[in-house]
C-alpha cells in the first residue's frame, strides 16, 4: 500500500469487492490528490466483501477513522467465479450456481451487524453486470431498503456515475474472463470520481438548504401573468422537481425564494397539485416578495438559524444569480440556464451530494415546519422555563453507543455556532477509541415536545482528569435547540455521572461560535490556570481579530470552569434523564 505524505489512520480508504479492483486503486489515489484530499487506499483480499463485514479482525473492522467501500456486482453472487472454474479439475466439477437472492439476504444481515458494531462510514456501490443483465436497478432498490435504518451505511448506483460520462465504454469482456476485471480503465476512472465525491461529502463543509426559484425553474412561465393551468410542466421542469424531492428525502431543507406574488405561487401548488412532483408541504420556509434574493436568503438563514454558507440557490435568471453571488459569496449559486440540461447542472454539483443520511436528516424538514408552530405557540415568551413548560419539553441526556456515532460525527462536523470547535467529525473515532481506557465517554442529548421529536440534538465527549475532575473535550448542539436548556441538561447529567461540582470545558473561538461562548460565559468562568497563551482570541459577536493585522490568525483555546450549581435551568425537571 503506497503511502501518501501526511496521511493518518483518519485518511484511509479500504476497498472490498466481488471482483478484482486493482485498476481502481491508483485512479482513486489520483482523484483524491486532485481535490487536495490525499488518502491511503488499500484493497481487502479478493472476493471477501461479506467476510470483511463479519470478521472482527478484517481490514474493514480495523479502519476506524476513514471510509470503507464495498463494490458489488450481483452477477458475481450468481455462481462460481472464473477463477473457480479454472481451478476445478473439470468444468463439470464447478460449484452449482448460487441463489443471488439468498446471497443478498446474507449480505444485508452482515452489513447491519457491521453497522451495529462499528461506526466507520461504509458505502456499498452496486455495479452493473455483463451486458444484457438486468439485476442492477432491482438490487439498488433492495439494498437501499434493507440498509435504510443502518447507521453509517450508504448505497450508491454505479450506473448513475457511468451515465454522467457520455459515450463511456464500461465493460471489458476479455479482462473479465482472464482476471475477473469486468470494466475498462475509463469505467474504473468514473468509479474513482464517484468515490471521491463520497469522501468529499463526508469531509467538506455541508450545505443544508436549497433555496429554489419558481417561475421558469419549477415550472415554465410566470405564475403572476398566467393562470396555473397555462404554466408549462415539461419533462425539464419535472426533472428539476424530482431531483429536489430526492434531496428533500435525504435531509436537505427546501425553501422557496421567488420574486413573485405569494398568492399566485400558492395557487399553482393548489390547482396543479396532481401534476407536480413537489407539494407546498415539501418546502419548510419561503420568501416570496419583490426584495433582492440576497436579502431573502439572509432572512431565511436567520429564520432557520443557519449560516448563509449552508445555502444553495437554484435559479434560471443570470442577473439574480450574479446579484446573490456578489452579495453573498458564501452561497453556492446554480444557474439553470434554459439551454442547459438541468440534470447536468444539478447532478454535477458536489455540494448537493449526501450519501449518508441520519434519522435526523430524514425528518429535518418536518422539524423546521414544527419550529414554525412552536414560534406561534410561544410568541411573547422569553423565559426558557416558561417556554419549555408550555411546549412540554423533555430532554434525555445519556451515554452514547456505537449507533450514535454517525450523528455525533455529523454534529461535530456541521455545527459552527453552538460548538466548542475543539474537535471535528474526523476526530471522533480517535476520541471514542479511548473509551476503552475507562476515562473517555461520549454523550448525546435528545429533545422532544408536543410538536415533535428533534432526535439527537447535542453531543459531548468527556475525559476524566488526572485530578479526578471531569473535562469536556468537545461539545456541539444544533442551533434549532437554542434557548431550550439542552446544554444545561447535558452538562448537568455529565456532572452528576462524574460526581463532580464543576466541569472543565475546552473552547476555541472561531469568530462564528459566539453562542457557545456566550453560554460558557453565562454559566462559568475562565480557568486562567490552564488556558493556552498562544494564538489570538476571536470574540463571539463580530469575529474581529484582536490587535493583529493577520486576516486568519490562530484562534486561542481556553478552558472554562462551569459549576454544576449554575446548570439549574433544566428544560424539564424530572424529564431529563
Amino acid at each position: 500500500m503506497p503511502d501518501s505524505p501526511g496521511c493518518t489512520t483518519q485518511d484511509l480508504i479500504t476497498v472490498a469487492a466481488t471482483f478484482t479492483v486493482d485498476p481502481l486503486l491508483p485512479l482513486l489515489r489520483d482523484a483524491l490528490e486532485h481535490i487536495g484530499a490525499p488518502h491511503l487506499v488499500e484493497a481487502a483480499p479478493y472476493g471477501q466483501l461479506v467476510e470483511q463485514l463479519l470478521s472482527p479482525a478484517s481490514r474493514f473492522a480495523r479502519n476506524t477513522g476513514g471510509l470503507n467501500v464495498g463494490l458489488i456486482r450481483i452477477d458475481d453472487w450468481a455462481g462460481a467465479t472464473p477463477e473457480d472454474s479454472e481451478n476445478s479439475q473439470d468444468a463439470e466439477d464447478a460449484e452449482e450456481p448460487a441463489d443471488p437472492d439468498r446471497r443478498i439476504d446474507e449480505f444485508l444481515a452482515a452489513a447491519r451487524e457491521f453497522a451495529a458494531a462499528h461506526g466507520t462510514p461504509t458505502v456499498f456501490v452496486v455495479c452493473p453486470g455483463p451486458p444484457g443483465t438486468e439485476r442492477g436497478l432491482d438490487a439498488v432498490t433492495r439494498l437501499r431498503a434493507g440498509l435504510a435504518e443502518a447507521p453509517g451505511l450508504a448505497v450508491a448506483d454505479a450506473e448513475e456515475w457511468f451515465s454522467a460520462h457520455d459515450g463511456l465504454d464500461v465493460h471489458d469482456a476479455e479482462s473479465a474472463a482472464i482476471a475477473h476485471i469486468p470494466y475498462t480503465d475509463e469505467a474504473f476512472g468514473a468509479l474513482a470520481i464517484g468515490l471521491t465525491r463520497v469522501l468529499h461529502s463526508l469531509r467538506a463543509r455541508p450545505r443544508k438548504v436549497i433555496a429554489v426559484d419558481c417561475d421558469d425553474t419549477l415550472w415554465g412561465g410566470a405564475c403572476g401573468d398566467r393562470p396555473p393551468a397555462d404554466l408549462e410542466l415539461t419533462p425539464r421542469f419535472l426533472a428539476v422537481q424530482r431531483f429536489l424531492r430526492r434531496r428533500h428525502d435525504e435531509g436537505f431543507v427546501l425553501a422557496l425564494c421567488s420574486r413573485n406574488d405569494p398568492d399566485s405561487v400558492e395557487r399553482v401548488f393548489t390547482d396543479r397539485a396532481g401534476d407536480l412532483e413537489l407539494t407546498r408541504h415539501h418546502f419548510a420556509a419561503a420568501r416570496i416578495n419583490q426584495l433582492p434574493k440576497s436579502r431573502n436568503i439572509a432572512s431565511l438563514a436567520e429564520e432557520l438559524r443557519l449560516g448563509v454558507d449552508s445555502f444553495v440557490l437554484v435559479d434560471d435568471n443570470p442577473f439574480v444569480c450574479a446579484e446573490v453571488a456578489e452579495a453573498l459569496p458564501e452561497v453556492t449559486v446554480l444557474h439553470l440556464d434554459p439551454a442547459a440540461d438541468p440534470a447536468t447542472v444539478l447532478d454535477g454539483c458536489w455540494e448537493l451530494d449526501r450519501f449518508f443520511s441520519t434519522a435526523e436528516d430524514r425528518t429535518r424538514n418536518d422539524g423546521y415546519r414544527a419550529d414554525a408552530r412552536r414560534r406561534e405557540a410561544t410568541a411573547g415568551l422569553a423565559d426558557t422555563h416558561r417556554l419549555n413548560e408550555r411546549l412540554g419539553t423533555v430532554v434525555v441526556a445519556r451515554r452514547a453507543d456505537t449507533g450514535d456515532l454517525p450523528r455525533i460525527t455529523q454534529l461535530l462536523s456541521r455545527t459552527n455556532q453552538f460548538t466548542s470547535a475543539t474537535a471535528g467529525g474526523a476526530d471522533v473515532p480517535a476520541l471514542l477509541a479511548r473509551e476503552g481506557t475507562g476515562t473517555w465517554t461520549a454523550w448525546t442529548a435528545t429533545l422532544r415536545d408536543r410538536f415533535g421529536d428533534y432526535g439527537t440534538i447535542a453531543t459531548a465527549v468527556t475525559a476524566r482528569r488526572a485530578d479526578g475532575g471531569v473535562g469536556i473535550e468537545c461539545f456541539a448542539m444544533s442551533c434549532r435547540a437554542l434557548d431550550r436548556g439542552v446544554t444545561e441538561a447535558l452538562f448537568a447529567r455529565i456532572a452528576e455521572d462524574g460526581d463532580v461540582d464543576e466541569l472543565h470545558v475546552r473552547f476555541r473561538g472561531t469568530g462564528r461560535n459566539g453562542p457557545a461562548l456566550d453560554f460558557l460565559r453565562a454559566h462559568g468562568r475562565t480557568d486562567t490556570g490552564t488556558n493556552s497563551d498562544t494564538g489570538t482570541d476571536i470574540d463571539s459577536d463580530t469575529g474581529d481579530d484582536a490587535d493583529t493585522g493577520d486576516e486568519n490568525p490562530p484562534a486561542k483555546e481556553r478552558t472554562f470552569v462551569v459549576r454544576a450549581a449554575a446548570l439549574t435551568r433544566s428544560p424539564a425537571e424530572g424529564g431529563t434523564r
Side-chain angles (χ1 to χ4, degrees), residues 348-428:
C349 179
W350 290 31
E351 284 83 354
L352 292 178
D353 287 339
R354 179 163 293 163
F355 294 94
F356 297 90
S357 295
T358 64
E360 287 75 16
D361 288 328
R362 293 186 287 271
T363 60
R364 180 169 288 116
N365 280 273
D366 291 336
Y368 278 110
R369 285 186 285 269
D371 284 344
R373 298 194 296 273
R374 290 183 182 98
R375 286 193 294 271
E376 182 179 344
T378 59
L381 285 181
D383 178 79
T384 298
H385 179 75
R386 291 182 60 200
L387 182 148
N388 283 307
E389 189 176 55
R390 179 174 294 184
L391 293 176
T393 301
V394 176
V395 174
V396 177
R398 63 171 177 82
R399 289 173 178 256
D401 55 36
T402 305
D404 295 310
L405 182 55
R407 178 57 175 163
I408 292 173
T409 301
Q410 189 178 68
L411 281 167
L412 291 173
S413 297
R414 297 183 178 182
T415 306
N416 56 50
Q417 295 185 57
F418 204 98
T419 175
S420 64
T422 49
D427 301 312
V428 172

Side-chain angles (χ1 to χ4, degrees), residues 51-102:
E51 289 82 354
Q52 290 297 309
L53 297 170
L54 292 175
S55 172
S58 70
R59 292 180 184 268
F60 268 23
R62 296 199 304 268
N63 183 9
T64 60
L67 171 69
N68 288 326
V69 175
L71 303 177
I72 305 168
R73 204 173 72 136
I74 301 299
D75 295 79
D76 295 329
W77 285 342
T81 66
E83 287 75 10
D84 293 330
S85 298
E86 290 173 8
N87 293 332
S88 62
Q89 294 180 350
D90 191 277
E92 295 181 358
D93 296 331
E95 295 181 14
E96 290 293 323
D99 178 2
D101 290 333
R102 178 178 61 81

Side-chain angles (χ1 to χ4, degrees), residues 150-183:
L153 303 187
V155 178
D157 186 355
E159 290 277 21
E160 295 179 356
W161 296 349
F162 293 154
S163 64
H165 304 268
D166 293 335
L168 181 67
D169 185 12
V170 174
H171 300 282
D172 188 331
E174 182 177 359
S175 64
I178 294 173
H180 203 197
I181 301 175
Y183 305 120

Side-chain angles (χ1 to χ4, degrees), residues 522-575:
H523 294 82
R525 69 181 189 279
T526 304
D527 185 356
T528 56
T530 60
N531 286 336
S532 168
D533 291 328
T534 62
T536 301
D537 183 20
I538 302 177
D539 213 345
S540 60
D541 298 323
T542 65
D544 294 334
D545 302 339
D547 301 325
T548 78
D550 191 347
E551 292 183 358
N552 296 292
K556 181 169 65 177
E557 183 176 307
R558 46 181 153 167
T559 301
F560 283 85
V561 178
V562 175
R563 298 190 65 247
L567 302 168
T568 55
R569 294 180 63 191
S570 173
E573 272 109 12

Side-chain angles (χ1 to χ4, degrees), residues 139-456:
V140 171
T141 302
R142 187 169 171 186
L143 264 60
R144 283 178 173 161
L147 301 178
E149 302 301 322
L153 303 187
V155 178
D157 186 355
E159 290 277 21
E160 295 179 356
W161 296 349
F162 293 154
S163 64
H165 304 268
D166 293 335
L168 181 67
D169 185 12
V170 174
H171 300 282
D172 188 331
E174 182 177 359
S175 64
I178 294 173
H180 203 197
I181 301 175
Y183 305 120
T184 63
D185 287 344
E186 293 77 11
F188 276 115
L191 283 175
I193 294 172
L195 292 174
T196 300
R197 291 183 69 156
V198 173
L199 184 79
H200 179 269
S201 74
L202 288 170
R203 297 301 176 94
R205 165 140 189 82
R207 307 290 171 160
K208 301 178 183 178
V209 184
I210 305 175
V212 59
D213 178 45
C214 293
D215 294 341
D216 295 318
T217 300
L218 290 180
W219 51 71
C223 64
D225 298 333
R226 301 188 197 177
D230 291 346
L231 297 174
E232 300 172 17
L233 286 173
T234 62
R236 169 189 175 85
F237 298 112
L238 293 177
V240 172
Q241 293 183 32
R242 282 192 292 271
F243 177 89
L244 293 172
R245 182 164 186 163
R246 289 196 300 272
R247 294 301 179 266
H248 168 279
D249 294 343
E250 292 169 355
F252 279 93
V253 176
L254 300 186
L256 292 171
C257 191
S258 176
R259 300 190 72 175
N260 226 317
D261 168 52
D263 291 338
S264 298
V265 172
E266 296 295 343
R267 277 196 297 272
V268 177
F269 282 105
T270 300
D271 294 358
R272 300 296 299 272
D275 303 320
L276 297 169
E277 296 284 346
L278 287 166
T279 69
R280 182 64 178 83
H281 183 72
H282 285 100
F283 295 90
R287 290 295 183 274
I288 304 171
N289 53 44
Q290 297 300 322
L291 296 175
K293 289 201 175 177
S294 59
R295 288 179 58 183
N296 280 331
I297 289 175
S299 176
L300 284 167
E302 183 178 359
E303 175 184 332
L304 299 174
R305 291 185 168 181
L306 295 169
V308 293
D309 59 351
S310 297
F311 280 70
V312 175
L313 172 67
V314 178
D315 201 299
D316 70 291
N317 190 318
F319 300 103
V320 168
C321 291
E323 185 271 328
V324 173
E326 175 74 20
L328 300 174
E330 309 97 320
V331 175
T332 295
V333 178
L334 293 184
H335 176 215
L336 282 188
D337 190 311
D341 175 19
T344 301
V345 176
L346 296 171
D347 290 332
C349 179
W350 290 31
E351 284 83 354
L352 292 178
D353 287 339
R354 179 163 293 163
F355 294 94
F356 297 90
S357 295
T358 64
E360 287 75 16
D361 288 328
R362 293 186 287 271
T363 60
R364 180 169 288 116
N365 280 273
D366 291 336
Y368 278 110
R369 285 186 285 269
D371 284 344
R373 298 194 296 273
R374 290 183 182 98
R375 286 193 294 271
E376 182 179 344
T378 59
L381 285 181
D383 178 79
T384 298
H385 179 75
R386 291 182 60 200
L387 182 148
N388 283 307
E389 189 176 55
R390 179 174 294 184
L391 293 176
T393 301
V394 176
V395 174
V396 177
R398 63 171 177 82
R399 289 173 178 256
D401 55 36
T402 305
D404 295 310
L405 182 55
R407 178 57 175 163
I408 292 173
T409 301
Q410 189 178 68
L411 281 167
L412 291 173
S413 297
R414 297 183 178 182
T415 306
N416 56 50
Q417 295 185 57
F418 204 98
T419 175
S420 64
T422 49
D427 301 312
V428 172
L431 288 172
L432 300 191
R434 305 183 191 182
E435 274 197 288
T437 65
T439 60
W440 291 73
T441 307
W443 296 84
T444 62
T446 60
L447 168 65
R448 69 178 187 272
D449 59 27
R450 63 187 178 91
F451 287 99
D453 192 340
Y454 284 83
T456 300

